[in-house]
Structures are given as structure tokens and as C-alpha cells.
Amino acid sequence: MASSGNTRRRAMDAALEIFAQKGYHGACVGDVAEALGIKSPSLYKYFKGKDDLYAALLAEADAHFQSLWADVAARLERLEHAAVQAGVLTPERLEEDGGGWFFDQLDDGPASCYRRLLVGRACLWEQPIALFEGLFARLIDREILRRGDPHVMAVEFVAPLVQLWQLRDGQPGRAEACAEEARRHLRQFHRVFAHREPRSGGNGPVGRLFRR
């Protein structure tokens, strides 16, 4: 016999796909019970009702993205360190550390379901935009990126990637096309905003110090 913890986990996994596919109003506890091959009343041992089940899913989705944005912050630290050391931001580094989180999540089934649960919510936009805004402000100050509004730059960087996520979530067969479009977007962003060569006047910390 399956343990209560295992049954609850199976119910959460089934509910995630059902709610992501049908939405809150289209899904019901009966759908989850049917997917598990049990009767609906059995689920009330683990959840008070539909709202309780949905709240548990949202909490997991939020935790997923909190972990993701923490990983993005670490990636951006690596990107900034490499760019400052070299005095230039390369397109390869921008794709690997600036956009790597997008590609890592593109074909992840649970991540796709979490995104569909949270579509339109601020957590998909505000945190990554804030992270990139801070990075771009610092790289502008270092003269590694061209002068501009770092908030606008962050929106221009993040928004197309989130939109491509949503396109892929609605059309799973377009994952490869979305990945290629993301790479084009990153290359275009680099062409527009990044200096191609280290700025004159010294690229190390001493040179930058005397340019201030």
C-alpha cells in the first residue's frame, strides 16, 4: 500500500498537469482523483478541497522560481566577473550565463506547468528584470555596455525570453524554434548594447579607477 506522503505527492503531480492544462476554473478534484484511479473523497484526506490543492501547487511553483532566480543571480555574478576581467562582454558569455537559465528550463515538463500556473504573475517578470537591471547598470558604469537606461535594457532582454517560454508552453513542438529565436535575440541584444572591444584607457581595475 502506498504511503500517505506518496499518495499526496502523486496527487500533486497529477494536479499540476491538470491545472496547467485546464486552468483553475476548468479543473476539479474529480479530475485528479480519476488520474490517480481513486475516488474523489479519498483526496480530502490530504487536501481540504480544490482551493487548498491549488494553493499547494502555487506554493511549489513559487518555490521553483525563487530557486531559479537565485541560480540566475549566481550566473550573473559569473558573467559580470568575466566581463570585468576581460573588459568586454562576449556573445558566448551572454548566451551561457545571461540566457542559460532560459535554455535549461525550455524542455522541463514541470517548469512548463509551473509557468502556466503563474502566467501573468509578477514573479515571472519582476525578479529577473531587477537582477538584469542591476547587472546592466554596473556594466554601463564599467563602460562594457553602451550608455542607456538599464531598466529599459533589462525589460528588452527578459521580456522576449519569457514570451518565448509562453509560446513553447502553448506549442510544445516549437521548442527547437523557440531556442533558436532566443539565440537570435541574445545576439541582437549584444550587437546593440555591448562594446565589441575592451574600452581604451586600461581594462584592469587600476585603469577603470582612473577613468572615474
Side-chain angles (χ1 to χ4, degrees):
M1 181 180 294
S3 68
S4 60
N6 185 48
T7 301
R8 188 180 193 281
R9 182 66 260 166
R10 289 175 57 231
M12 290 282 288
D13 292 341
L16 178 60
E17 293 190 17
I18 291 168
F19 276 83
Q21 179 182 1
K22 296 186 175 183
Y24 173 80
H25 295 291
C28 65
V29 172
D31 295 329
V32 180
E34 182 179 355
L36 295 178
I38 62 177
K39 295 186 180 298
S40 297
S42 299
L43 283 178
Y44 291 100
K45 298 177 183 177
Y46 312 102
F47 306 99
K48 296 177 182 177
K50 177 178 175 179
D51 287 348
D52 187 40
L53 175 56
Y54 187 61
L57 293 175
L58 290 180
E60 281 200 347
D62 184 65
H64 171 83
F65 281 100
Q66 290 297 330
S67 176
L68 174 60
W69 303 139
D71 177 64
V72 171
R75 288 175 185 257
L76 296 189
E77 285 185 11
R78 293 195 298 268
L79 184 156
E80 182 177 0
H81 177 75
V84 169
Q85 289 297 108
V88 65
L89 174 62
T90 65
E92 294 79 14
R93 179 65 68 173
L94 182 64
E95 179 175 330
E96 180 181 354
D97 286 331
W101 53 277
F102 168 86
F103 299 106
D104 289 349
Q105 299 276 307
L106 189 60
D107 290 316
D108 189 319
S112 173
C113 291
Y114 289 143
R115 288 195 297 271
R116 280 182 280 174
L117 281 181
L118 297 176
V119 65
R121 292 175 181 254
C123 64
L124 289 182
W125 297 85
E126 290 183 351
Q127 287 176 280
I129 286 174
L131 289 170
F132 278 95
E133 180 178 354
L135 171 70
F136 293 158
R138 294 188 295 274
L139 293 183
I140 289 170
D141 187 52
R142 296 282 189 173
E143 298 186 15
I144 292 171
L145 293 182
R146 301 180 188 280
R147 291 288 170 185
D149 183 331
H151 178 74
V152 173
M153 291 168 64
V155 171
E156 291 188 9
F157 186 90
V158 172
L161 297 178
V162 174
Q163 289 172 339
L164 285 169
W165 262 351
Q166 294 172 352
L167 178 61
R168 179 264 177 225
D169 292 343
Q171 303 178 48
R174 298 196 61 182
E176 185 175 340
C178 288
E180 182 53 38
E181 182 61 31
R183 292 187 179 93
R184 283 196 292 268
H185 163 62
L186 295 173
R187 291 193 292 266
Q188 177 63 15
F189 183 92
H190 185 269
R191 283 194 293 268
V192 171
F193 292 109
H195 290 297
R196 304 304 198 285
E197 300 176 354
R199 308 306 293 160
S200 60
N203 299 319
V206 175
R208 287 191 294 273
L209 177 64
F210 279 97
R211 288 206 303 275
R212 291 183 179 277

